[in-house]
Amino acid sequence: MFDYDYTICTEPDEDIFKRQCAALEKHIPLLEKERLMIDVDNTKIQIYLKDGKKIKVKNDYMVGAVYIQSEIELTQFFKDK
């Protein structure tokens, strides 16, 4: 399902999660934001859509990381950043 995985931080971090979401929203044009989901363990999941493809940002307490799972390659939007 997800072709690309990006580990942002090797432990859950609310600030890094929020900053990562903000960076995606700033640098990826025409990104559609869905409702933020919060799991029972306080894991936060923000899903975006870009041209019908999913991008999922997770602040995951079970896994112990902030990471992105994406159906599209994201570095193309951050080449000069």
Side-chain angles (χ1 to χ4, degrees):
M1 180 178 196
F2 292 102
D3 298 324
Y4 302 93
D5 291 299
Y6 306 91
T7 300
I8 307 305
C9 184
T10 57
E11 58 186 61
D13 187 297
E14 184 70 22
D15 184 56
I16 291 173
F17 171 77
K18 288 178 182 177
R19 287 189 290 147
Q20 186 58 62
C21 289
L24 291 175
E25 292 170 22
K26 178 180 179 183
H27 295 289
I28 301 177
L30 304 173
L31 193 63
E32 298 175 44
K33 183 178 182 177
E34 294 190 351
R35 186 174 59 89
L36 177 69
M37 295 181 284
I38 302 173
D39 203 350
V40 294
D41 68 352
N42 206 34
T43 290
K44 291 188 173 67
I45 304 165
Q46 181 63 64
I47 296 176
Y48 296 95
L49 296 175
K50 171 68 175 162
D51 300 327
K53 303 285 186 172
K54 276 189 182 180
I55 302 167
K56 184 187 297 187
V57 184
K58 292 183 83 174
N59 187 30
D60 196 323
Y61 284 90
M62 182 73 111
V63 171
V66 177
Y67 59 94
I68 299 172
Q69 297 173 306
S70 179
E71 294 179 337
I72 61 171
E73 193 276 323
L74 298 177
T75 60
Q76 63 182 310
F77 301 106
F78 295 92
K79 287 182 180 174
D80 299 327
K81 311 306 178 242

